[in-house]
Amino acid sequence: MSKVKEQPNAENPEELTGLKVTEPKEWAAGIPAVLAAFKDVLEEENPVRGMRALLHMNQKAGFDCSSCAWPDPDDDRSPIAEYCENGAKALAWEATNKKLTPEFFAKNSIADLARMNDFEMGKTGRIAQPVYLPQGGTHYQPISWDDAFKKIAANLNGLSSPDEAAFYTSGRTSNEASFVYQLFAREFGTNNMPDCSNMCHESTGVGLAEVIGIGKGTVTLNDFYDTDIIIIMGQNPGTNHPRMLTALEKAKKRGTKIIAINPLHEAGLTAFKNPQTVKGLLGISTPLADLYLQVKINGDMALLKALEILLYKAEQENPGTVFDKKFIEENTVGYLELVNSWHQYKVADLANEAGVPLSQLQEAANMISHAGKMIICWAMGITQHVNGVATIKEIVNLALLKGAIGKSGAGLCPVRGHSNVQGNRTMLIWDKPKKEQLDKLKNFFGFDPPRKPGYDVVEAIKAMHEGKLKFFFSMGGNFLSATPDTTYTAEAMRKLKLTVHVSTKLNRAHLVHGEETLILPTFARSDKDTTGGIDQIVSCENSMGVMQQSQGMLKPVSDQFLSETDIVCRMAKATLGDKSVVDWDKYASNYDHIRTDIEEVIPGFKDYNKRIREPGGFYLPNAARDGKFKTAKYGDKAAFTVNELPQNNMADDEYAMTTIRSHDQFNTTIYGLDDRYRGIHQERRVIFMNPKDIASAGFTAGDKVDLYSYFKGKERVARLFVIVSYNIPERNTATYFPEANVLVPIDSVAEGSNTPTSKLVYIKIRKHGA
Ligand code: SF4
């Protein structure tokens, strides 16, 4: 066992793994998706276990896929395969019966583990008992649950203020665990509850709440089957929400038009071979996008404005046929201000700014003008920009002009990336809770929750750096790899006194730690949870506001797992002791008790225990979906807003870089080294560049380069990437997250939401080692 303490690497090793490039695909799924779905499951030691679990995934009485938040059908579900390739990979990843024994940790130091890449680390197996790293230690060692909770309690009670602690939540955490988690944090005395939503759809929540009164989407899955046009912006459903393709295919069958707006040409927006149909298995694809607008990175605002102006011209030529004037008059404010704001723009300039030919914009406007019902979908390509909130409000402008909110077959569809990220926020996991939410907690539970706003993710990282945070608890997730500015974030985490991670498998955040650290093993979604001696169910909220039950069925591979809910309840008891006004034992004994109390303090959960057991669950109330708007700023109206065009200026030798996910990846979890649809195999350290840019910079595809970002004079560097020639707009580039996160400046955030701008970083590209 090494006695010399080596600083573990906060990033993936700077090593190439053997890039092979093939032609990008023009269609998604098909037989390759079926083979890929089963490959990971069949490669596990006990494939029967994984195959059995797949039959229960996303079924009404089964467990919810722990990957994305795309909804399951309300009505009939396929009895054999209500999941996609990525859902199957997620299942294989968590259902493995490989375990990390004390011998594994004794053999592998933290520095050894850090030499693995994320893919190799994820393959090691399930963490099977609580482990602890003492101050100055080089190896994790086993610790009992009791001792782990004693350490946590001693640390928390030793802080000079509750605000020296932060409690992070990842989007996998169930409603029940989230509710008790926020309750504990607030009874302990802090609103420091950063969550993964701060890094993804926070811009959506802020933008929509301001102008339509609710920070969530307004559509149901059935609206997709009753609409005329679907616009998909800054989203790659083929990789990140694959079952959305089934919904798009169904929509296409009834004649719905699709406009895709994205800087990269993605297979999953182009065509779909549905592997659940004979046609798909025979290799016959359904074309998806009728029009593909290959916008420049962050050209979306210019594109939206151009569309609005073209639609306005069409409306003037044929009054009453393009805009929904009745809807605008009855339900909105700010229409005239918006129309007046357009006078400052020339459509040709906007087209140029967007990087899309005017003829294509005209074609899009023609399609939209003839559509009675319209859905607009978006994801991180819109939210993770300085102007993310403003672009979302511009999306709402377009929807309001068409009266496309609050009626069947129309609405807004922000597509969430992690299975219960929306539910976490509904359960009050929020660093900036509303006064009325805290009042309800106070009135029901009888303690006074803190009123001071807490830290979001970016604020928490800075507070760690400044020594204001000493204790960090991570409920799931991989905080280090999910966050921006890896070097800065790693420095921040190393300044903490105690870091605690509730996890199923090892990840890089376990290796970059405070003075001491704990890893607490928990159930995966597919594991059977018999806390308190009964078969427990939990619940999750999908992207469309449906609350559904989830019940794992696999025998856990270790008898040392505790549920997330149980961990919180035991931590609360150990920390608060007799001072607590909450009966934590009761909550842990039967999650029904938690749901009973949720019903009392969060609107929309009447008869929660009964309705969550109904097949398919229930929809949460959503006034905007019903055509009712109640906003803090505009009363009972939805608001048109005038949003500025962003200044996407860069120096002559700079490129716009966006971070993307590969097809063998879910957020920070890496299932493999391929990105099949984009023709990338066996490598993640690549930079996609336009062939003209490669030539004019004097490079050749295959060259090794280093990437630099300069934000406010500070240099950041990501070394050793391979150039791939790709269909991407000139001066635009793309790299994989989390490898390029090191280039994303902590201070570059979306205005209004503080979301890191991971979709636009200006970089310089130099020959490797130059
Ligand atoms: S679409 Fe999303 S939720 Fe559904 S199975 Fe695939 S990864 Fe899981």
Side-chain angles (χ1 to χ4, degrees):
M1 195 183 284
S2 164
K3 294 281 179 226
V4 184
K5 179 129 168 90
E6 181 187 329
Q7 187 80 292
N9 195 354
E11 295 175 58
N12 270 272
E14 269 170 33
E15 285 167 7
L16 298 180
T17 43
L19 172 67
K20 289 192 191 70
V21 181
T22 55
E23 279 299 307
K25 295 271 181 277
E26 286 294 321
W27 47 267
I31 287 178
V34 180
L35 298 176
F38 294 127
K39 180 177 159 282
D40 286 14
V41 178
L42 295 174
E43 277 176 4
E44 285 300 330
E45 271 170 39
N46 187 350
V48 176
R49 183 178 151 86
M51 295 303 288
R52 211 165 59 81
L54 278 176
L55 295 173
H56 293 255
M57 184 187 266
N58 293 332
Q59 297 298 334
K60 287 181 179 167
F63 61 90
D64 192 33
C65 169
S66 61
S67 259
C68 81
W70 187 253
D72 306 307
D74 288 341
D75 38 35
D76 292 340
R77 298 186 188 174
S78 163
I80 48 163
E82 197 54 69
Y83 54 84
C84 70
E85 172 188 343
N86 290 9
K89 286 176 184 165
L91 189 271
W93 188 85
E94 70 180 33
T96 180
N97 52 9
K98 269 193 247 160
K99 290 191 274 190
L100 302 188
T101 57
E103 295 73 43
F104 171 89
F105 287 108
K107 197 168 150 220
N108 293 285
S109 69
I110 305 251
D112 293 335
L113 296 171
R115 281 190 280 276
M116 296 180 182
N117 62 35
D118 290 347
F119 168 58
E120 291 161 339
M121 213 183 307
K123 282 276 179 200
T124 51
R126 292 284 296 272
I127 301 161
Q129 67 285 306
V131 288
Y132 167 62
L133 183 76
Q135 187 169 4
T138 53
H139 294 65
Y140 275 107
Q141 57 195 48
I143 185 172
S144 71
W145 278 106
D146 280 349
D147 287 347
F149 289 123
K150 275 186 202 148
K151 254 183 207 313
I152 292 171
N155 259 272
L156 284 171
N157 289 326
L159 299 174
S160 41
S161 152
D163 285 331
E164 289 183 344
F167 299 91
Y168 173 75
T169 314
S170 135
R172 192 203 57 195
T173 310
S174 69
N175 290 329
E176 291 73 9
S178 296
F179 185 77
V180 292
Y181 189 44
Q182 63 79 34
L183 191 63
F184 164 63
R186 293 196 165 107
E187 195 182 19
F188 175 67
T190 187
N191 282 314
N192 286 343
M193 265 169 280
D195 70 338
C196 62
S197 186
N198 298 149
M199 293 181 282
C200 59
H201 270 292
E202 197 69 54
S203 300
T204 297
V206 171
L208 293 188
E210 181 193 325
V211 294
I212 66 164
I214 183 167
K216 299 181 180 182
T218 68
V219 290
T220 70
L221 194 51
N222 286 333
D223 288 321
F224 276 72
Y225 313 138
D226 180 29
T227 190
D228 299 323
I229 192 161
I230 301 170
I231 302 177
I232 304 169
M233 305 184 68
Q235 190 206 347
N236 178 16
T239 284
N240 298 319
H241 316 95
R243 276 190 311 153
M244 182 175 171
L245 302 192
T246 311
L248 296 179
E249 181 187 50
K250 208 166 157 186
K252 288 289 290 189
K253 274 194 190 145
R254 68 169 295 282
T256 302
K257 299 285 182 208
I258 296 177
I259 300 177
I261 303 172
N262 203 55
L264 278 83
H265 218 279
E266 304 287 15
L269 289 166
T270 310
F272 174 47
K273 293 184 184 174
N274 187 343
Q276 299 217 12
T277 62
V278 175
K279 184 181 145 195
L281 289 173
L282 288 174
I284 303 164
S285 59
T286 303
L288 294 177
D290 297 275
L291 181 64
Y292 206 118
L293 306 180
Q294 209 170 349
V295 67
K296 283 199 267 193
I297 295 170
N298 204 26
D300 308 88
M301 177 74 90
L303 186 148
L304 287 162
K305 284 186 186 296
L307 287 179
E308 288 161 14
I309 294 169
L310 291 169
L311 290 169
Y312 180 62
K313 284 185 183 157
E315 168 68 22
Q316 282 181 313
E317 282 161 19
N318 292 293
T321 63
V322 178
F323 289 175
D324 188 337
K325 282 294 188 54
K326 186 167 180 289
F327 174 89
I328 293 170
E329 269 160 37
E330 289 176 1
N331 295 291
T332 70
V333 292
Y335 173 71
L336 287 179
E337 288 87 340
L338 178 70
V339 171
N340 288 334
S341 75
W342 292 331
H343 295 138
Q344 63 186 297
Y345 301 114
K346 290 200 180 84
V347 183
D349 292 344
L350 291 170
N352 195 33
E353 186 64 31
V356 175
L358 187 51
S359 58
Q360 286 190 359
L361 289 174
Q362 186 62 63
E363 197 181 337
N366 291 347
M367 288 164 72
I368 296 168
S369 67
H370 293 127
K373 299 173 182 179
M374 175 174 77
I375 292 174
I376 310 179
C377 311
W378 68 90
M380 309 296 89
I382 299 297
T383 62
Q384 293 178 328
H385 289 283
V386 171
N387 51 291
V389 174
T391 308
I392 283 147
K393 292 198 289 183
E394 200 65 42
I395 289 173
V396 174
N397 284 345
L398 179 59
L400 293 177
L401 289 171
K402 294 290 294 175
I405 305 179
K407 67 181 181 191
S408 161
L412 303 169
C413 182
V415 187
R416 309 267 171 176
H418 207 164
S419 60
N420 198 37
V421 61
Q422 192 161 307
N424 297 163
R425 187 58 61 87
T426 304
M427 291 296 117
L428 311 180
I429 297 287
W430 196 9
D431 49 284
K432 315 276 185 293
K434 291 184 190 159
K435 179 182 175 299
E436 51 276 25
Q437 292 173 322
L438 297 176
D439 287 346
K440 280 206 164 161
L441 288 180
K442 179 181 176 184
N443 293 340
F444 184 75
F445 288 101
F447 70 89
D448 201 1
R451 304 289 165 155
K452 186 178 151 201
Y455 297 133
D456 64 16
V457 163
V458 167
E459 291 163 343
I461 296 168
K462 289 183 175 178
M464 289 175 199
H465 235 283
E466 292 162 13
K468 292 181 187 160
L469 276 181
K470 305 251 165 50
F471 173 98
F472 181 71
F473 191 100
S474 186
M475 183 61 87
N478 176 351
F479 188 79
L480 177 73
S481 300
T483 47
D485 219 339
T486 314
T487 308
Y488 180 90
T489 300
E491 283 167 14
M493 292 186 80
R494 288 186 174 119
K495 291 183 179 177
L496 292 160
K497 282 188 81 64
L498 180 65
T499 39
V500 186
H501 298 272
V502 177
S503 303
T504 54
K505 286 184 137 184
L506 270 185
N507 65 52
R508 208 157 290 278
H510 301 141
L511 314 179
V512 175
H513 48 78
E515 279 175 17
E516 299 174 277
T517 188
L518 286 161
I519 310 178
L520 309 180
T522 193
F523 297 123
R525 276 274 172 77
S526 49
D527 287 332
K528 190 171 190 154
D529 175 357
T530 52
T531 304
I534 59 170
D535 291 350
Q536 304 277 2
I537 61 164
V538 293
S539 57
C540 299
E541 176 181 351
N542 65 33
S543 239
M544 294 180 185
V546 181
M547 282 289 171
Q548 265 195 96
Q549 75 159 65
S550 176
Q551 188 169 34
M553 38 65 70
L554 289 177
K555 183 171 185 294
V557 292
S558 166
D559 59 7
Q560 286 278 302
F561 295 157
L562 292 185
S563 74
E564 292 175 323
T565 302
D566 203 8
I567 290 171
V568 173
C569 292
R570 292 193 194 199
M571 168 166 72
K573 268 183 72 180
T575 307
L576 302 172
D578 295 340
K579 282 185 299 182
S580 180
V581 296
V582 178
D583 188 344
W584 301 102
D585 285 336
K586 186 173 147 196
Y587 279 165
S589 70
N590 186 335
Y591 306 164
D592 277 357
H593 296 305
I594 304 172
R595 287 183 282 268
T596 300
D597 288 355
I598 289 171
E599 194 175 325
E600 298 296 326
V601 291
I602 302 180
F605 285 87
K606 194 167 178 336
D607 294 330
Y608 192 4
N609 276 311
K610 178 168 169 277
R611 288 194 296 158
I612 203 63
R613 288 179 165 87
E614 283 164 9
F618 61 95
Y619 278 89
L620 285 176
N622 185 321
R625 179 185 285 159
D626 300 332
K628 296 188 190 80
F629 304 103
K630 197 165 180 357
T631 65
K633 224 167 160 181
Y634 308 102
D636 59 355
K637 302 279 188 228
F640 287 104
T641 49
V642 176
N643 305 296
E644 280 179 26
L645 210 53
Q647 301 298 314
N648 294 322
N649 298 329
M650 56 183 160
D652 288 348
D653 60 346
E654 283 185 327
Y655 300 83
M657 182 195 82
T658 190
T659 58
I660 55 175
R661 287 151 174 78
S662 80
H663 195 63
D664 273 358
Q665 167 176 15
F666 173 70
N667 290 344
T668 54
T669 307
I670 311 298
Y671 303 125
L673 299 176
D674 294 349
D675 190 6
R676 191 171 79 239
Y677 295 157
R678 298 192 185 107
I680 303 297
H681 308 271
Q682 266 308 110
E683 188 57 78
R684 293 184 51 82
R685 300 187 79 84
V686 297
I687 176 161
F688 296 94
M689 288 181 77
N690 182 290
K692 286 189 188 158
D693 290 334
I694 298 174
S696 61
F699 293 128
T700 309
D703 278 357
K704 298 182 185 74
V705 290
D706 298 331
L707 315 177
Y708 295 80
S709 75
Y710 295 91
F711 185 81
K712 296 188 176 165
K714 182 172 173 190
E715 181 183 273
R716 293 169 172 84
V717 59
R719 292 184 208 282
L720 195 56
F721 284 71
V722 183
I723 293 178
V724 171
S725 176
Y726 205 75
N727 180 2
I728 185 169
E730 284 176 55
R731 306 286 303 286
N732 283 195
T733 66
T735 50
Y736 293 127
F737 152 109
E739 284 79 356
N741 285 1
V742 68
L743 299 169
V744 183
I746 190 83
D747 287 320
S748 178
V749 291
E751 287 164 5
S753 69
N754 221 24
T755 295
T757 61
S758 304
K759 289 290 178 187
L760 176 54
V761 178
Y762 294 116
I763 60 163
K764 298 189 187 208
I765 306 172
R766 300 191 188 123
K767 213 167 163 21
H768 175 56

